[in-house]
Amino acid sequence: MLTQLADLLENIKVALDGLLANKMRSLLTMLGVIIGVGAVIALMSIGNGAQASITQEINSIGTNMLIVTSGGFGRIGGPGGGSMGVTMDDVEALADPNNVPAAAMVVPQYDGNGQLVYGDVNLNATVSGVPPEYLDLHELTLVRGAFITGADVDKRSKVVVLGATIADELFGDFNPIGQKIKLADATGSKTTLTVIGVLAEQGGSMLNSADSSVFVPISTAQTKLFNARNSVGALRVSRINIMAKSEELVDTAETQIDAALREAHDLEAEDDADFNITNQAAILEMATSITSTLTAFLGAIAGISLFVGGIGIMNIMLVSVTERTHEIGLRKALGARKGDILLQFLMEAILLSGLGGLFGIGLGWAIASAASLT
């Protein structure tokens, strides 16, 4: 056993000496393996990171969240291809526990865009009209002041809660609570709003970023900031956020929502719906499937580079045998067997592959780390 170990160590030493005798050729030979291994690790890491990021974004919205928006072709006479839109009447229908018992929360939202002005600073922002429950629905937190209350909604108060980015750009380190800002809509009409709260930094979201938005009472957005009435005078909403009581009840809630809205819109089961229901769990499943396929595809491409690197080592070693015929003859003359010669070249190939793999791991880790910082 000790003799075999000594022979192995001697073969490794001889192989290293052979590689060091041709440093540049050895480095260029390893380069294919280094790039291949580095590419596999980097692309797989980036792909898995992208999948985790998308999953986190969707999970932050909530996999038991359902979103109802207007769309499709319904009754004639309204916007959106004949649809009268999703209205506050629909919100009341869905909030009725007799219609949608699987729903834990039903929160309407009306979105618009406007230009915020404070002193000599002005910027564009998303304006979301929401009720008090919106804070709990999206688990938002405040760093200053208070959020919109039921009284604000009832009175159509001209108050506003600022996202973290908006507050920083408008006021910097200055406390904005109690300050008045102006909101200009698309027509140029300006409305003065009093700042009552500032949200903590929330981070981005696939649907919207709370940091770059401002929030007002939904009634104020619908009647004083924007014209939210449809052709029959009903107040429209941009979307209805519905939180199911559990992930297991999401499909049940979706079925109940569809039935309640069809009844409210006088639609039969065979009629095309004039609304859309977005299931976050379904989006998560689809996104996970797509990113998994993409990651596997990237890994396969990187694997080709690794395969080419291996072919490169094989070709170089074959050429090396031809170039070193005098060395091989000398070794045979000194008593080396065919197996000993084969073992030496095999050991050189293993060292080239192993060292190339180690450097490739370092390269892949460095690229993946750099990508995670961007």
Side-chain angles (χ1 to χ4, degrees), residues 7-53:
D7 290 341
L8 177 61
L9 293 176
E10 181 64 24
N11 283 324
I12 293 175
K13 181 179 181 300
V14 171
L16 281 173
D17 291 339
L19 296 179
L20 292 175
N22 298 278
K23 297 183 182 65
M24 183 57 67
R25 185 176 68 179
S26 299
L27 179 61
L28 293 176
T29 304
M30 288 191 297
L31 192 59
V33 176
I34 293 172
I35 293 175
V37 172
V40 169
I41 293 176
L43 291 179
M44 293 295 289
S45 298
I46 292 172
N48 289 330
Q51 180 176 341
S53 178

mmCIF file of all heavy atoms in Angstrom, residues 7-53:
data_model
loop_
_atom_site.group_PDB
_atom_site.id
_atom_site.type_symbol
_atom_site.label_atom_id
_atom_site.label_comp_id
_atom_site.label_asym_id
_atom_site.label_seq_id
_atom_site.Cartn_x
_atom_site.Cartn_y
_atom_site.Cartn_z
ATOM 1 N N ASP A 7 4.381 5.573 -5.360
ATOM 2 C CA ASP A 7 4.376 5.641 -6.825
ATOM 3 C C ASP A 7 3.411 6.715 -7.322
ATOM 4 O O ASP A 7 3.705 7.440 -8.284
ATOM 5 C CB ASP A 7 3.977 4.280 -7.408
ATOM 6 C CG ASP A 7 5.066 3.227 -7.191
ATOM 7 O OD1 ASP A 7 6.223 3.634 -6.933
ATOM 8 O OD2 ASP A 7 4.747 2.024 -7.274
ATOM 9 N N LEU A 8 2.246 6.810 -6.668
ATOM 10 C CA LEU A 8 1.253 7.812 -7.071
ATOM 11 C C LEU A 8 1.795 9.224 -6.883
ATOM 12 O O LEU A 8 1.664 10.089 -7.756
ATOM 13 C CB LEU A 8 -0.034 7.620 -6.263
ATOM 14 C CG LEU A 8 -1.157 8.638 -6.526
ATOM 15 C CD1 LEU A 8 -1.598 8.570 -7.987
ATOM 16 C CD2 LEU A 8 -2.338 8.379 -5.595
ATOM 17 N N LEU A 9 2.423 9.460 -5.714
ATOM 18 C CA LEU A 9 2.996 10.773 -5.434
ATOM 19 C C LEU A 9 4.107 11.099 -6.424
ATOM 20 O O LEU A 9 4.251 12.245 -6.865
ATOM 21 C CB LEU A 9 3.521 10.824 -3.998
ATOM 22 C CG LEU A 9 2.462 10.754 -2.891
ATOM 23 C CD1 LEU A 9 3.117 10.704 -1.513
ATOM 24 C CD2 LEU A 9 1.508 11.957 -2.981
ATOM 25 N N GLU A 10 4.902 10.082 -6.768
ATOM 26 C CA GLU A 10 5.972 10.291 -7.742
ATOM 27 C C GLU A 10 5.399 10.639 -9.117
ATOM 28 O O GLU A 10 5.907 11.525 -9.817
ATOM 29 C CB GLU A 10 6.834 9.022 -7.831
ATOM 30 C CG GLU A 10 8.009 9.135 -8.808
ATOM 31 C CD GLU A 10 9.016 10.185 -8.394
ATOM 32 O OE1 GLU A 10 9.090 10.524 -7.183
ATOM 33 O OE2 GLU A 10 9.743 10.682 -9.273
ATOM 34 N N ASN A 11 4.296 9.961 -9.493
ATOM 35 C CA ASN A 11 3.650 10.260 -10.775
ATOM 36 C C ASN A 11 3.091 11.680 -10.795
ATOM 37 O O ASN A 11 3.152 12.383 -11.810
ATOM 38 C CB ASN A 11 2.523 9.263 -11.051
ATOM 39 C CG ASN A 11 3.051 7.915 -11.514
ATOM 40 O OD1 ASN A 11 4.052 7.853 -12.242
ATOM 41 N ND2 ASN A 11 2.411 6.840 -11.090
ATOM 42 N N ILE A 12 2.526 12.111 -9.662
ATOM 43 C CA ILE A 12 2.006 13.479 -9.570
ATOM 44 C C ILE A 12 3.135 14.488 -9.720
ATOM 45 O O ILE A 12 3.012 15.493 -10.428
ATOM 46 C CB ILE A 12 1.264 13.683 -8.231
ATOM 47 C CG1 ILE A 12 -0.018 12.826 -8.186
ATOM 48 C CG2 ILE A 12 0.910 15.158 -8.024
ATOM 49 C CD1 ILE A 12 -0.751 12.873 -6.867
ATOM 50 N N LYS A 13 4.274 14.205 -9.045
ATOM 51 C CA LYS A 13 5.422 15.107 -9.125
ATOM 52 C C LYS A 13 5.943 15.194 -10.556
ATOM 53 O O LYS A 13 6.242 16.279 -11.076
ATOM 54 C CB LYS A 13 6.519 14.624 -8.183
ATOM 55 C CG LYS A 13 7.758 15.512 -8.166
ATOM 56 C CD LYS A 13 8.792 14.981 -7.193
ATOM 57 C CE LYS A 13 10.021 15.890 -7.175
ATOM 58 N NZ LYS A 13 10.667 16.002 -8.499
ATOM 59 N N VAL A 14 6.042 14.049 -11.211
ATOM 60 C CA VAL A 14 6.533 14.024 -12.586
ATOM 61 C C VAL A 14 5.552 14.771 -13.510
ATOM 62 O O VAL A 14 5.963 15.522 -14.410
ATOM 63 C CB VAL A 14 6.722 12.574 -13.064
ATOM 64 C CG1 VAL A 14 7.029 12.536 -14.559
ATOM 65 C CG2 VAL A 14 7.833 11.912 -12.271
ATOM 66 N N ALA A 15 4.260 14.574 -13.265
ATOM 67 C CA ALA A 15 3.249 15.254 -14.081
ATOM 68 C C ALA A 15 3.330 16.767 -13.896
ATOM 69 O O ALA A 15 3.237 17.539 -14.856
ATOM 70 C CB ALA A 15 1.853 14.759 -13.719
ATOM 71 N N LEU A 16 3.503 17.223 -12.649
ATOM 72 C CA LEU A 16 3.639 18.655 -12.375
ATOM 73 C C LEU A 16 4.874 19.218 -13.050
ATOM 74 O O LEU A 16 4.844 20.323 -13.616
ATOM 75 C CB LEU A 16 3.698 18.900 -10.864
ATOM 76 C CG LEU A 16 2.363 18.865 -10.112
ATOM 77 C CD1 LEU A 16 2.589 18.959 -8.610
ATOM 78 C CD2 LEU A 16 1.454 20.001 -10.582
ATOM 79 N N ASP A 17 5.969 18.474 -12.985
ATOM 80 C CA ASP A 17 7.190 18.923 -13.651
ATOM 81 C C ASP A 17 6.964 19.066 -15.151
ATOM 82 O O ASP A 17 7.453 20.023 -15.783
ATOM 83 C CB ASP A 17 8.330 17.937 -13.392
ATOM 84 C CG ASP A 17 8.793 17.963 -11.931
ATOM 85 O OD1 ASP A 17 8.530 18.975 -11.254
ATOM 86 O OD2 ASP A 17 9.398 16.965 -11.483
ATOM 87 N N GLY A 18 6.216 18.118 -15.725
ATOM 88 C CA GLY A 18 5.930 18.188 -17.156
ATOM 89 C C GLY A 18 5.085 19.397 -17.516
ATOM 90 O O GLY A 18 5.290 20.048 -18.536
ATOM 91 N N LEU A 19 4.106 19.709 -16.652
ATOM 92 C CA LEU A 19 3.242 20.867 -16.908
ATOM 93 C C LEU A 19 4.000 22.175 -16.723
ATOM 94 O O LEU A 19 3.824 23.128 -17.495
ATOM 95 C CB LEU A 19 2.026 20.833 -15.967
ATOM 96 C CG LEU A 19 1.058 19.660 -16.137
ATOM 97 C CD1 LEU A 19 -0.076 19.751 -15.110
ATOM 98 C CD2 LEU A 19 0.479 19.639 -17.545
ATOM 99 N N LEU A 20 4.842 22.231 -15.688
ATOM 100 C CA LEU A 20 5.598 23.455 -15.418
ATOM 101 C C LEU A 20 6.663 23.700 -16.481
ATOM 102 O O LEU A 20 7.095 24.842 -16.689
ATOM 103 C CB LEU A 20 6.249 23.374 -14.030
ATOM 104 C CG LEU A 20 5.271 23.409 -12.851
ATOM 105 C CD1 LEU A 20 6.015 23.190 -11.539
ATOM 106 C CD2 LEU A 20 4.510 24.733 -12.815
ATOM 107 N N ALA A 21 7.090 22.647 -17.147
ATOM 108 C CA ALA A 21 8.077 22.806 -18.213
ATOM 109 C C ALA A 21 7.493 23.547 -19.409
ATOM 110 O O ALA A 21 8.233 24.137 -20.205
ATOM 111 C CB ALA A 21 8.602 21.440 -18.640
ATOM 112 N N ASN A 22 6.172 23.516 -19.537
ATOM 113 C CA ASN A 22 5.477 24.224 -20.624
ATOM 114 C C ASN A 22 4.330 25.045 -20.009
ATOM 115 O O ASN A 22 3.153 24.708 -20.164
ATOM 116 C CB ASN A 22 4.934 23.240 -21.672
ATOM 117 C CG ASN A 22 6.024 22.452 -22.348
ATOM 118 O OD1 ASN A 22 6.662 22.926 -23.273
ATOM 119 N ND2 ASN A 22 6.243 21.226 -21.856
ATOM 120 N N LYS A 23 4.703 26.074 -19.264
ATOM 121 C CA LYS A 23 3.709 26.836 -18.483
ATOM 122 C C LYS A 23 2.630 27.452 -19.362
ATOM 123 O O LYS A 23 1.439 27.363 -19.065
ATOM 124 C CB LYS A 23 4.407 27.921 -17.670
ATOM 125 C CG LYS A 23 5.401 27.430 -16.620
ATOM 126 C CD LYS A 23 5.961 28.593 -15.839
ATOM 127 C CE LYS A 23 6.990 28.136 -14.813
ATOM 128 N NZ LYS A 23 8.202 27.551 -15.444
ATOM 129 N N MET A 24 3.044 28.117 -20.442
ATOM 130 C CA MET A 24 2.069 28.807 -21.287
ATOM 131 C C MET A 24 1.097 27.828 -21.930
ATOM 132 O O MET A 24 -0.108 28.056 -21.967
ATOM 133 C CB MET A 24 2.795 29.619 -22.359
ATOM 134 C CG MET A 24 1.846 30.450 -23.248
ATOM 135 S SD MET A 24 0.807 31.580 -22.278
ATOM 136 C CE MET A 24 2.065 32.713 -21.666
ATOM 137 N N ARG A 25 1.630 26.700 -22.444
ATOM 138 C CA ARG A 25 0.749 25.709 -23.058
ATOM 139 C C ARG A 25 -0.203 25.117 -22.031
ATOM 140 O O ARG A 25 -1.387 24.907 -22.317
ATOM 141 C CB ARG A 25 1.582 24.602 -23.709
ATOM 142 C CG ARG A 25 0.724 23.589 -24.475
ATOM 143 C CD ARG A 25 1.563 22.574 -25.188
ATOM 144 N NE ARG A 25 2.245 21.685 -24.236
ATOM 145 C CZ ARG A 25 3.040 20.694 -24.610
ATOM 146 N NH1 ARG A 25 3.279 20.492 -25.897
ATOM 147 N NH2 ARG A 25 3.621 19.928 -23.704
ATOM 148 N N SER A 26 0.287 24.871 -20.818
ATOM 149 C CA SER A 26 -0.574 24.311 -19.772
ATOM 150 C C SER A 26 -1.684 25.292 -19.402
ATOM 151 O O SER A 26 -2.848 24.906 -19.227
ATOM 152 C CB SER A 26 0.266 23.982 -18.532
ATOM 153 O OG SER A 26 1.260 23.019 -18.834
ATOM 154 N N LEU A 27 -1.318 26.593 -19.317
ATOM 155 C CA LEU A 27 -2.318 27.603 -18.966
ATOM 156 C C LEU A 27 -3.377 27.726 -20.041
ATOM 157 O O LEU A 27 -4.583 27.775 -19.753
ATOM 158 C CB LEU A 27 -1.627 28.952 -18.740
ATOM 159 C CG LEU A 27 -2.548 30.131 -18.393
ATOM 160 C CD1 LEU A 27 -3.297 29.839 -17.098
ATOM 161 C CD2 LEU A 27 -1.752 31.421 -18.286
ATOM 162 N N LEU A 28 -2.946 27.760 -21.302
ATOM 163 C CA LEU A 28 -3.905 27.865 -22.404
ATOM 164 C C LEU A 28 -4.782 26.620 -22.485
ATOM 165 O O LEU A 28 -5.962 26.698 -22.847
ATOM 166 C CB LEU A 28 -3.162 28.074 -23.725
ATOM 167 C CG LEU A 28 -2.422 29.418 -23.856
ATOM 168 C CD1 LEU A 28 -1.638 29.466 -25.169
ATOM 169 C CD2 LEU A 28 -3.401 30.587 -23.783
ATOM 170 N N THR A 29 -4.213 25.465 -22.160
ATOM 171 C CA THR A 29 -4.996 24.223 -22.162
ATOM 172 C C THR A 29 -6.070 24.263 -21.076
ATOM 173 O O THR A 29 -7.209 23.842 -21.288
ATOM 174 C CB THR A 29 -4.079 23.008 -21.952
ATOM 175 O OG1 THR A 29 -3.059 23.006 -22.947
ATOM 176 C CG2 THR A 29 -4.869 21.720 -22.039
ATOM 177 N N MET A 30 -5.683 24.777 -19.893
ATOM 178 C CA MET A 30 -6.651 24.865 -18.788
ATOM 179 C C MET A 30 -7.719 25.925 -19.033
ATOM 180 O O MET A 30 -8.788 25.877 -18.435
ATOM 181 C CB MET A 30 -5.929 25.189 -17.479
ATOM 182 C CG MET A 30 -5.116 24.053 -16.898
ATOM 183 S SD MET A 30 -4.571 24.429 -15.214
ATOM 184 C CE MET A 30 -3.526 25.860 -15.507
ATOM 185 N N LEU A 31 -7.426 26.889 -19.909
ATOM 186 C CA LEU A 31 -8.326 28.015 -20.094
ATOM 187 C C LEU A 31 -9.728 27.571 -20.507
ATOM 188 O O LEU A 31 -10.734 28.126 -20.051
ATOM 189 C CB LEU A 31 -7.746 28.969 -21.147
ATOM 190 C CG LEU A 31 -8.424 30.332 -21.260
ATOM 191 C CD1 LEU A 31 -8.358 31.077 -19.939
ATOM 192 C CD2 LEU A 31 -7.761 31.156 -22.370
ATOM 193 N N GLY A 32 -9.779 26.545 -21.383
ATOM 194 C CA GLY A 32 -11.090 26.056 -21.803
ATOM 195 C C GLY A 32 -11.896 25.507 -20.640
ATOM 196 O O GLY A 32 -13.099 25.753 -20.526
ATOM 197 N N VAL A 33 -11.248 24.761 -19.745
ATOM 198 C CA VAL A 33 -11.934 24.212 -18.578
ATOM 199 C C VAL A 33 -12.314 25.335 -17.606
ATOM 200 O O VAL A 33 -13.401 25.339 -17.028
ATOM 201 C CB VAL A 33 -11.049 23.170 -17.876
ATOM 202 C CG1 VAL A 33 -11.717 22.665 -16.600
ATOM 203 C CG2 VAL A 33 -10.766 22.018 -18.814
ATOM 204 N N ILE A 34 -11.388 26.306 -17.420
ATOM 205 C CA ILE A 34 -11.671 27.429 -16.517
ATOM 206 C C ILE A 34 -12.919 28.179 -16.979
ATOM 207 O O ILE A 34 -13.832 28.456 -16.189
ATOM 208 C CB ILE A 34 -10.463 28.394 -16.465
ATOM 209 C CG1 ILE A 34 -9.277 27.711 -15.791
ATOM 210 C CG2 ILE A 34 -10.832 29.671 -15.716
ATOM 211 C CD1 ILE A 34 -7.988 28.511 -15.860
ATOM 212 N N ILE A 35 -12.970 28.501 -18.266
ATOM 213 C CA ILE A 35 -14.130 29.232 -18.803
ATOM 214 C C ILE A 35 -15.384 28.376 -18.706
ATOM 215 O O ILE A 35 -16.461 28.859 -18.337
ATOM 216 C CB ILE A 35 -13.861 29.648 -20.264
ATOM 217 C CG1 ILE A 35 -12.730 30.679 -20.304
ATOM 218 C CG2 ILE A 35 -15.122 30.218 -20.898
ATOM 219 C CD1 ILE A 35 -12.293 31.068 -21.705
ATOM 220 N N GLY A 36 -15.273 27.095 -19.042
ATOM 221 C CA GLY A 36 -16.440 26.218 -18.999
ATOM 222 C C GLY A 36 -17.020 26.078 -17.604
ATOM 223 O O GLY A 36 -18.221 26.250 -17.391
ATOM 224 N N VAL A 37 -16.163 25.764 -16.629
ATOM 225 C CA VAL A 37 -16.632 25.608 -15.249
ATOM 226 C C VAL A 37 -17.167 26.935 -14.712
ATOM 227 O O VAL A 37 -18.224 26.994 -14.076
ATOM 228 C CB VAL A 37 -15.500 25.082 -14.346
ATOM 229 C CG1 VAL A 37 -15.930 25.097 -12.884
ATOM 230 C CG2 VAL A 37 -15.111 23.674 -14.760
ATOM 231 N N GLY A 38 -16.414 28.022 -14.990
ATOM 232 C CA GLY A 38 -16.862 29.333 -14.533
ATOM 233 C C GLY A 38 -18.210 29.702 -15.121
ATOM 234 O O GLY A 38 -19.080 30.249 -14.429
ATOM 235 N N ALA A 39 -18.406 29.404 -16.412
ATOM 236 C CA ALA A 39 -19.669 29.726 -17.074
ATOM 237 C C ALA A 39 -20.822 28.918 -16.483
ATOM 238 O O ALA A 39 -21.916 29.448 -16.256
ATOM 239 C CB ALA A 39 -19.550 29.472 -18.572
ATOM 240 N N VAL A 40 -20.589 27.634 -16.240
ATOM 241 C CA VAL A 40 -21.647 26.793 -15.656
ATOM 242 C C VAL A 40 -22.076 27.338 -14.289
ATOM 243 O O VAL A 40 -23.269 27.528 -14.019
ATOM 244 C CB VAL A 40 -21.165 25.327 -15.513
ATOM 245 C CG1 VAL A 40 -22.160 24.528 -14.667
ATOM 246 C CG2 VAL A 40 -21.019 24.686 -16.882
ATOM 247 N N ILE A 41 -21.096 27.605 -13.431
ATOM 248 C CA ILE A 41 -21.416 28.083 -12.081
ATOM 249 C C ILE A 41 -22.080 29.458 -12.131
ATOM 250 O O ILE A 41 -23.100 29.706 -11.470
ATOM 251 C CB ILE A 41 -20.140 28.127 -11.222
ATOM 252 C CG1 ILE A 41 -19.626 26.707 -10.982
ATOM 253 C CG2 ILE A 41 -20.398 28.831 -9.889
ATOM 254 C CD1 ILE A 41 -18.320 26.646 -10.238
ATOM 255 N N ALA A 42 -21.501 30.370 -12.930
ATOM 256 C CA ALA A 42 -22.031 31.735 -12.986
ATOM 257 C C ALA A 42 -23.447 31.764 -13.544
ATOM 258 O O ALA A 42 -24.349 32.380 -12.960
ATOM 259 C CB ALA A 42 -21.110 32.615 -13.831
ATOM 260 N N LEU A 43 -23.677 31.082 -14.667
ATOM 261 C CA LEU A 43 -25.000 31.126 -15.289
ATOM 262 C C LEU A 43 -26.047 30.408 -14.449
ATOM 263 O O LEU A 43 -27.187 30.870 -14.338
ATOM 264 C CB LEU A 43 -24.930 30.511 -16.696
ATOM 265 C CG LEU A 43 -24.135 31.330 -17.730
ATOM 266 C CD1 LEU A 43 -24.115 30.619 -19.068
ATOM 267 C CD2 LEU A 43 -24.744 32.724 -17.895
ATOM 268 N N MET A 44 -25.683 29.283 -13.845
ATOM 269 C CA MET A 44 -26.630 28.588 -12.981
ATOM 270 C C MET A 44 -26.959 29.436 -11.751
ATOM 271 O O MET A 44 -28.113 29.506 -11.314
ATOM 272 C CB MET A 44 -26.061 27.229 -12.553
ATOM 273 C CG MET A 44 -25.910 26.233 -13.697
ATOM 274 S SD MET A 44 -27.488 25.728 -14.431
ATOM 275 C CE MET A 44 -28.152 24.706 -13.117
ATOM 276 N N SER A 45 -25.942 30.096 -11.197
ATOM 277 C CA SER A 45 -26.172 30.945 -10.026
ATOM 278 C C SER A 45 -27.057 32.127 -10.374
ATOM 279 O O SER A 45 -27.978 32.480 -9.638
ATOM 280 C CB SER A 45 -24.834 31.432 -9.461
ATOM 281 O OG SER A 45 -24.041 30.358 -9.026
ATOM 282 N N ILE A 46 -26.763 32.764 -11.519
ATOM 283 C CA ILE A 46 -27.568 33.909 -11.946
ATOM 284 C C ILE A 46 -29.000 33.477 -12.232
ATOM 285 O O ILE A 46 -29.962 34.162 -11.863
ATOM 286 C CB ILE A 46 -26.931 34.571 -13.182
ATOM 287 C CG1 ILE A 46 -25.604 35.241 -12.791
ATOM 288 C CG2 ILE A 46 -27.874 35.603 -13.796
ATOM 289 C CD1 ILE A 46 -24.805 35.745 -13.970
ATOM 290 N N GLY A 47 -29.155 32.319 -12.893
ATOM 291 C CA GLY A 47 -30.499 31.822 -13.181
ATOM 292 C C GLY A 47 -31.281 31.514 -11.915
ATOM 293 O O GLY A 47 -32.449 31.885 -11.781
ATOM 294 N N ASN A 48 -30.629 30.843 -10.953
ATOM 295 C CA ASN A 48 -31.300 30.537 -9.685
ATOM 296 C C ASN A 48 -31.594 31.809 -8.903
ATOM 297 O O ASN A 48 -32.624 31.910 -8.226
ATOM 298 C CB ASN A 48 -30.430 29.597 -8.848
ATOM 299 C CG ASN A 48 -30.372 28.190 -9.418
ATOM 300 O OD1 ASN A 48 -31.319 27.740 -10.053
ATOM 301 N ND2 ASN A 48 -29.262 27.503 -9.218
ATOM 302 N N GLY A 49 -30.667 32.788 -8.993
ATOM 303 C CA GLY A 49 -30.904 34.059 -8.315
ATOM 304 C C GLY A 49 -32.093 34.798 -8.897
ATOM 305 O O GLY A 49 -32.895 35.383 -8.154
ATOM 306 N N ALA A 50 -32.204 34.774 -10.232
ATOM 307 C CA ALA A 50 -33.346 35.419 -10.885
ATOM 308 C C ALA A 50 -34.649 34.737 -10.480
ATOM 309 O O ALA A 50 -35.666 35.403 -10.218
ATOM 310 C CB ALA A 50 -33.171 35.376 -12.401
ATOM 311 N N GLN A 51 -34.626 33.410 -10.420
ATOM 312 C CA GLN A 51 -35.826 32.680 -10.004
ATOM 313 C C GLN A 51 -36.211 33.023 -8.576
ATOM 314 O O GLN A 51 -37.386 33.255 -8.268
ATOM 315 C CB GLN A 51 -35.573 31.175 -10.132
ATOM 316 C CG GLN A 51 -36.775 30.330 -9.709
ATOM 317 C CD GLN A 51 -36.535 28.843 -9.935
ATOM 318 O OE1 GLN A 51 -35.663 28.454 -10.687
ATOM 319 N NE2 GLN A 51 -37.301 28.009 -9.268
ATOM 320 N N ALA A 52 -35.210 33.091 -7.684
ATOM 321 C CA ALA A 52 -35.490 33.433 -6.293
ATOM 322 C C ALA A 52 -36.027 34.850 -6.161
ATOM 323 O O ALA A 52 -36.923 35.123 -5.356
ATOM 324 C CB ALA A 52 -34.216 33.271 -5.455
ATOM 325 N N SER A 53 -35.476 35.761 -6.982
ATOM 326 C CA SER A 53 -35.926 37.154 -6.933
ATOM 327 C C SER A 53 -37.375 37.282 -7.384
ATOM 328 O O SER A 53 -38.176 37.972 -6.742
ATOM 329 C CB SER A 53 -35.025 38.019 -7.815
ATOM 330 O OG SER A 53 -35.462 39.360 -7.812
#
